[in-house]
Amino acid sequence: MGTFFRNQRNFTRFAWFTLAFLIFVVLWGAFVRATGSGAGCGSHWPLCNGVVIPRAARTETLIEFTHRITSGLSGLFVLALWVWAFRLYPKGHIVRKGATFSLLFIITESLLGAGLVLFEWVAYNASVERAISMALHLVNTYLLLGAVTLTAWWASQTLAGRNTTLRLRGQGKVGWLVGGGLLLLLFLGVSGAITALGDTLFPAGTLSEGISQDFLPTAHFLVRLRIYHPLVAIVTGVYLVLASRAIAAERPGEATRRLARVLLVVVAVQLVAGFVNIRLLVPVWMQIVHLLLADVMWIAAVLLGATVLSQEAAVEPQWVAQVGD
């Protein structure tokens, strides 16, 4: 067992598995919101309706309770990732830093989730406070996914014999392009979360009815905000296309070109999926697909940014030998 935990390949696989599991938890959380099941466990946290395991539970309770179980597992996985990173990698190693940020964001993620329940900003609550908390939740979720992604990617790089660091200063044009793209994606994600909430709480019977609702001066603020998400998506998509090409030209390399192509493809598919989502009146399954593509797009942008902002150095042979022991 000790040899297993000293094996860097096993750690890398576990890091990527943790990322995949987190994506599943995020998607299930969207399913909880889209089905109005957020109050399935009442206003109790961490208990569900005042008990550890609910009995004779309603469908809403089962959906919410499943989300809590998977969220708890994701927390344990990230904690294990952090402990494992500190056992496997030397002091100051970048994988340790990625794992530490992952642990920080999983803690804040759980606190934000608990706040939604305890303040009853769930189910069919349409308050400003819920919109703000969801925006914060979305930003934290993206930061969590980004931290775990970087942890897994840096572990993969080290496994391949490259000790990668991240240089944020002195990057010039490329640094601004990467930072601008990530900020736009965060803003897009926030607008998407608020729009999805409005679609859930104020569904439209037809496309024309939904559009007319968006422009009514007496409409709820969540309805009036829906019109801005497609505009933000188009602006962000155009920026990412132009920025990816500029970054690939400034920092030529096979990894950069490959990730830039992946990002461009995901952007194109996501824009089409967004249109289909609206045309179909945002069914639950399409909301899940749309969010999955958003997560993939964020991860691709994070990896592209990490690639072009990295500085590689040879791994010391002595340390490589120690890891392999």
Side-chain angles (χ1 to χ4, degrees):
M1 183 62 70
T3 303
F4 178 87
F5 285 108
R6 289 198 300 269
N7 191 312
Q8 192 180 21
R9 187 178 302 277
N10 292 332
F11 174 88
T12 303
R13 290 173 177 171
F14 180 72
W16 287 115
F17 164 78
T18 301
L19 176 63
F21 190 82
L22 280 171
I23 293 175
F24 168 75
V25 174
V26 171
L27 297 181
W28 192 263
F31 182 70
V32 172
R33 187 263 311 150
T35 56
S37 304
C41 287
S43 58
H44 301 87
W45 190 94
L47 299 177
C48 183
N49 290 325
V51 297
V52 177
I53 301 177
R55 298 181 179 180
R58 298 175 295 117
T59 301
E60 294 82 359
T61 301
L62 290 175
I63 293 174
E64 168 64 9
F65 186 67
T66 300
H67 182 53
R68 293 194 181 188
I69 292 296
T70 54
S71 297
L73 286 174
S74 67
L76 292 177
F77 290 157
V78 172
L79 176 61
L81 190 73
W82 179 74
V83 173
W84 197 348
F86 271 72
R87 290 188 59 184
L88 181 60
Y89 297 92
K91 183 178 180 180
H93 197 279
I94 197 168
V95 173
R96 278 192 173 194
K97 297 177 182 178
T100 300
F101 277 109
S102 300
L103 181 62
L104 170 64
F105 290 131
I106 197 68
I107 292 173
T108 52
E109 185 83 348
S110 63
L111 292 176
L112 287 168
L116 286 172
V117 173
L118 294 175
F119 289 104
E120 299 184 357
W121 294 331
V122 292
Y124 299 101
N125 181 294
S127 65
V128 174
E129 292 81 4
R130 184 183 184 184
I132 295 174
S133 64
M134 286 195 65
L136 293 175
H137 207 352
L138 184 281
V139 171
N140 191 86
T141 297
Y142 269 24
L143 294 177
L144 172 60
L145 291 177
V148 176
T149 296
L150 290 176
T151 303
W153 186 75
W154 286 329
S156 298
Q157 295 296 299
T158 305
L159 184 63
R162 294 184 291 270
N163 189 12
T164 307
T165 59
L166 196 64
R167 295 184 296 114
L168 300 180
R169 296 182 178 180
Q171 295 289 351
K173 175 182 177 181
V174 170
W176 287 106
L177 288 173
V178 170
L182 295 178
L183 287 176
L184 274 176
L185 282 173
L186 285 175
F187 185 63
L188 176 63
V190 168
S191 68
I194 294 176
T195 298
L197 178 60
D199 289 333
T200 299
L201 299 179
F202 305 98
T206 64
L207 181 60
S208 58
E209 177 187 338
I211 294 176
S212 62
Q213 288 177 351
D214 295 343
F215 292 95
L216 286 176
T218 57
H220 193 275
F221 78 94
L222 289 173
V223 175
R224 295 199 306 271
L225 288 175
R226 292 189 305 199
I227 189 62
Y228 297 105
H229 180 60
L231 300 177
V232 175
I234 293 173
V235 171
T236 303
V238 171
Y239 177 91
L240 290 176
V241 169
L242 297 177
S244 297
R245 292 180 175 178
I247 289 172
E250 289 283 334
R251 302 288 172 85
E254 179 58 32
T256 303
R257 288 193 297 268
R258 182 171 62 252
L259 287 169
R261 285 195 298 267
V262 169
L263 181 58
L264 293 178
V265 170
V266 177
V267 168
V269 174
Q270 178 70 315
L271 288 174
V272 173
F275 172 79
V276 174
N277 193 33
I278 295 174
R279 187 68 182 84
L280 297 179
L281 300 178
V282 292
V284 173
W285 68 269
M286 194 62 208
Q287 292 185 49
I288 302 301
V289 172
H290 198 35
L291 179 58
L292 173 61
L293 289 170
D295 291 341
V296 173
M297 186 164 58
W298 168 255
I299 290 171
V302 168
L303 288 176
L304 177 60
T307 300
V308 299
L309 300 180
S310 293
Q311 179 183 14
E312 297 184 350
V315 179
E316 296 180 7
Q318 182 180 0
W319 183 73
V320 174
Q322 292 175 353
V323 171
D325 289 341

